[in-house]
């Protein structure tokens, strides 16, 4: 049992860990895994090769990674001029930027965890190219890459894909992390995320995957059950500057982590995965260490962690599980996906 407050050094806020509360009887809503037996190609899917999207455009018969501008952009060049405002504390501006969709592969049925290792490397390499292109645009101040996976996080299409929001503002979490990293570097003369990795490796019990260039761990200050960080060992401000060796190791640790999550309950594990990269706003962001955060909304099979009073009402997280326990569960899983069969052992 762990019951204490833990400091989240990147967000600079407290997380309340109260694992004794996890055993309380639950009578709330439960959810299914929300996925019927998938098929390799779906004629109704607007992301599958050769199909027509809502814009009327037809997807090419692509074979690898396929990226295109989102037909329903949240920010984009087609955003209208803002409504006129005449008084008060309010102000507004155009929703400028670019929104993209990146399909992992032509296969409608293969999640990131199930893609062959080399395809994950190719995906990350494609994201490096996307970053370089989008970060170079003058209106773009930050490039957020993320995947929502599973019905419970509101995915509109099951075809494995991620999204990119290249925005004219820096997302709040990134702003806080950049500030925390820069301040830590001035105060201590060291990189905050390097110290986090070192602390996790000293402690060992929360490290899920470790290889030469990358590491995956459930952080000491995890806000969600099974929340996992995947990061290169060397400090890079964004994905674009990773060497091919670093990219391969990052891909391996990411894939291995996601496989363990799927294996845990033998179901596609829902998550929100976000790539945290330094802003591209023309400022320097010393100490920012590119990393991937995987936030997982399930506490148990079919049981959601609800955001309620403390999280929505107060803005701080209460985690009903001990990060050490959740890491142990992931570490105990096989690194071979349960759907890949014994021939792949
Ligand atoms: Zn599809
Ligand atoms: Zn982060």
């Amino acid at each position: 049992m762990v019951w204490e407050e833990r400091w989240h050094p990147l967000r600079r806020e407290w997380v309340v860990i109260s694992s004794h509360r996890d055993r309380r009887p639950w009578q709330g809503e439960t959810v299914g895994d929300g996925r019927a037996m998938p098929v390799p190609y779906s004629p109704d899917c607007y992301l599958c090769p050769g199909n027509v999207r809502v814009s009327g455009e037809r997807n090419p018969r692509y074979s690898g990674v396929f990226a295109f501008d989102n037909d329903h952009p949240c920010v984009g060049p087609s955003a209208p001029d803002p409504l006129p405002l005449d008084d008060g504390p309010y102000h507004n501006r155009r929703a400028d930027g670019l929104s993209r969709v990146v399909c992992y592969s032509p296969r409608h049925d293969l999640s990131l965890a199930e893609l062959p290792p080399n395809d994950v490397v190719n995906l990350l390499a494609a994201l490096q190219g996307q970053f370089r292109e989008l970060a170079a645009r003058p209106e773009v101040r930050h490039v957020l890459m993320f995947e929502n996976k599973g019905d419970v996080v509101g995915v509109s299409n099951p075809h494995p894909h991620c999204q990119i929001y290249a925005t004219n503002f820096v997302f709040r979490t990134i702003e806080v992390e950049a500030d925390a990293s820069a301040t830590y570097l001035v105060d201590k003369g060291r990189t905050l995320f390097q110290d986090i990795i070192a602390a996790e490796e000293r402690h060992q019990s929360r490290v899920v995957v470790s290889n030469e260039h990358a590491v995956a761990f459930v952080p000491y200050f995890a806000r969600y059950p099974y929340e996992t960080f995947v990061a290169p060992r060397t400090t890079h401000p964004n994905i674009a500057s990773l060497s091919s060796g670093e990219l391969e190791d990052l891909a391996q640790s990411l894939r291995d982590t996601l496989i363990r999550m799927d294996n845990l309950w033998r179901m596609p594990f829902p998550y929100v995965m976000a790539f945290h990269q330094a802003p591209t706003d023309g400022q320097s962001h010393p100490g920012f260490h590119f990393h991937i955060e995987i936030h997982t909304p399930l506490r148990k099979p079919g049981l959601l962690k609800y955001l309620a009073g403390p999280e929505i009402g107060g803005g701080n997280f209460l985690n009903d599980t001990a990060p050490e326990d959740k890491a142990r569960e992931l570490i105990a899983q096989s690194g071979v996906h349960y759907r890949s069969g014994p021939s792949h052992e």
Side-chain angles (χ1 to χ4, degrees):
M1 194 269 277
V2 183
W3 190 2
E4 63 186 11
E5 295 179 0
R6 294 185 175 183
W7 180 246
H8 193 312
L10 285 163
R11 297 180 60 89
R12 299 203 281 197
E13 67 190 29
W14 290 103
V15 181
V16 184
I17 308 288
S18 56
S19 66
H20 59 294
R21 300 179 76 248
D22 199 31
R23 283 178 214 108
R24 70 189 191 273
W26 183 264
Q27 292 171 332
E29 192 189 346
T30 59
V31 290
D33 71 35
R35 194 157 131 163
M37 228 11 229
V39 289
Y41 166 79
S42 164
D44 306 322
C45 169
Y46 63 85
L47 297 178
C48 274
N51 290 358
V52 176
R53 301 204 306 272
V54 64
S55 61
E57 233 173 288
R58 186 178 289 280
N59 295 331
R61 298 207 169 272
Y62 62 95
S63 54
V65 178
F66 169 53
F68 63 93
D69 287 352
N70 197 323
D71 299 318
H72 301 285
C74 97
V75 291
S78 57
D81 285 330
L83 297 168
L85 271 183
D86 44 20
D87 63 345
Y90 307 138
H91 65 282
N92 58 5
R93 60 179 183 183
R94 273 189 70 232
D96 206 5
L98 210 65
S99 312
R100 270 193 187 149
V101 176
V102 181
C103 298
Y104 295 160
S105 87
R107 287 284 296 268
H108 186 79
D109 57 339
L110 289 187
S111 68
L112 191 48
E114 295 163 280
L115 281 182
N118 218 25
D119 287 9
V120 182
V121 177
N122 290 339
L123 168 67
L124 295 184
L127 292 178
Q128 286 186 309
Q130 289 290 326
F131 183 91
R132 284 189 201 104
E133 182 198 331
L134 293 168
R137 293 173 71 101
E139 78 277 24
V140 170
R141 295 169 67 82
H142 180 250
V143 180
L144 182 71
M145 299 170 161
F146 64 95
E147 178 188 356
N148 301 329
K149 177 163 170 265
D151 285 359
V152 297
V153 296
V155 174
S156 56
N157 186 317
H159 192 119
H161 68 284
C162 67
Q163 298 187 61
I164 306 176
Y165 286 0
T167 50
N168 60 351
F169 65 91
V170 181
F171 274 86
R172 182 78 191 109
T173 296
I174 302 302
E175 211 168 60
V176 172
E177 289 192 355
D179 196 26
S181 303
T183 304
Y184 191 93
L185 190 61
V186 169
D187 289 353
K188 313 250 184 192
R190 296 191 306 273
T191 302
L192 171 55
F193 208 94
Q194 291 289 354
D195 277 6
I196 291 174
I197 292 175
E200 293 298 341
E201 295 213 293
R202 265 198 315 276
H203 201 271
Q204 267 303 318
S205 70
R206 291 178 300 264
V207 176
V208 179
V209 188
S210 174
N211 57 35
E212 188 186 350
H213 296 298
V215 60
F217 54 91
V218 177
Y220 168 76
F221 46 78
R223 296 181 303 152
Y224 290 86
Y226 309 105
E227 170 180 334
T228 304
F229 283 23
V230 186
R233 290 181 182 278
T234 304
T235 298
H236 293 274
N238 54 60
I239 193 172
S241 55
L242 267 70
S243 70
S244 57
E246 287 179 304
L247 212 63
E248 276 169 35
D249 278 5
L250 186 71
Q252 191 258 320
S253 50
L254 175 62
R255 183 172 176 274
D256 196 333
T257 298
L258 297 177
I259 288 173
R260 285 161 195 273
M261 287 176 170
D262 279 8
N263 284 348
L264 189 62
W265 300 320
R266 296 180 74 82
M267 60 172 267
F269 204 89
Y271 58 76
V272 173
M273 175 175 74
F275 287 38
H276 282 184
Q277 315 191 76
T280 57
D281 55 358
Q283 315 284 316
S284 78
H285 296 282
F288 197 101
H289 185 117
F290 156 64
H291 57 282
I292 300 170
E293 295 191 9
I294 304 166
H295 294 121
T296 54
L298 289 189
R299 294 169 39 181
K300 291 176 184 163
L303 197 60
L304 275 176
K305 170 181 170 53
Y306 283 97
L307 303 188
E311 295 87 4
I312 293 175
N316 283 60
F317 268 66
L318 199 152
N319 185 349
D320 288 347
T321 64
E324 296 71 33
D325 294 342
K326 299 295 112 174
R328 202 176 305 123
E329 290 178 34
L330 292 175
I331 292 163
Q333 300 306 313
S334 162
V336 178
H337 198 277
Y338 72 93
R339 288 212 299 204
S340 66
S343 60
H344 293 74
E345 283 284 358

